[in-house]
Amino acid sequence: MLALLLAGAPAPVGAQTVAEQVEALVLETRVRRALADQPSLHPLDLTVSATTAGAVTLRGAVDRPEQLERAREVAQAVRGVTSVESLLIVSGRARVSSTSRIPPTPPAPTEEVYHTVQPGDVLGNIARRYGVAVEEIRRLNQLSSSTIRVGQRLRIR
């Protein structure tokens, strides 16, 4: 079971132990479950990442601003979450909303954007999520096909 959990996990940052990786994955799973239990957030495609310190980042696309706020509220209410950074796209525009102690710096228009492939991700959904064309993602990452792997880091912009 542990091997399955870690197979889809991003590469460890710094000197992160296996126990710390599992702790972050457990928190991510709690947040994903809480979001999945919200009918108003269906069928949204949100990506959750967490740190062992309880910082959670939400990425993806929502249809309405209310969904963005609801996703942030639901994540913040999960046991173990200390802060939530919401990098969700509403109607094709990126909106940043956070309850972090230090507000995040919005990305500069020319700043590169990356996405780490999660289980179930396909290029078409990733492209829609970020408002770019599949061909652009393939060009930026020198992909000859639309085949991607879990854990693969893709340049989006």
Side-chain angles (χ1 to χ4, degrees):
M1 174 79 169
L2 178 60
L4 289 174
L5 283 174
L6 294 178
V13 176
Q16 199 175 37
T17 66
V18 171
E20 289 170 332
Q21 291 177 41
V22 170
E23 182 181 335
L25 286 170
V26 167
L27 184 57
E28 287 175 17
T29 301
R30 279 193 213 127
V31 172
R32 283 189 188 108
R33 284 186 177 168
L35 292 169
D37 287 342
Q38 295 298 311
S40 65
L41 299 178
H42 291 191
L44 302 176
D45 186 16
L46 305 178
T47 302
V48 178
S49 59
T51 68
T52 55
V56 171
T57 302
L58 302 175
R59 290 181 175 84
V62 294
D63 299 324
R64 300 181 314 276
E66 303 84 45
Q67 290 173 317
L68 180 147
E69 290 306 317
R70 183 66 185 143
R72 186 192 55 75
E73 290 167 2
V74 168
Q76 186 66 51
V78 172
R79 180 176 45 97
V81 173
T82 58
S83 65
V84 176
E85 181 178 11
S86 175
L87 301 174
L88 298 173
I89 296 173
V90 178
S91 300
R93 295 185 316 251
R95 291 201 29 186
V96 177
S97 171
S98 175
T99 59
S100 300
R101 290 178 209 107
I102 301 170
T105 304
T110 58
E111 188 173 321
E112 293 178 353
V113 175
Y114 289 88
H115 173 82
T116 301
V117 176
Q118 302 296 316
D121 277 352
V122 293
L123 278 183
N125 291 345
I126 295 169
R128 263 189 304 283
R129 184 180 309 154
Y130 291 96
V132 299
V134 170
E135 294 76 21
E136 180 67 6
I137 295 174
R138 288 178 59 187
R139 184 186 66 75
L140 288 170
N141 295 280
Q142 301 173 341
L143 300 174
S144 58
S145 72
S146 293
T147 303
I148 54 176
R149 300 176 320 278
V150 171
Q152 185 176 358
R153 188 170 182 240
L154 298 173
R155 182 173 170 195
I156 304 300
R157 292 187 184 98

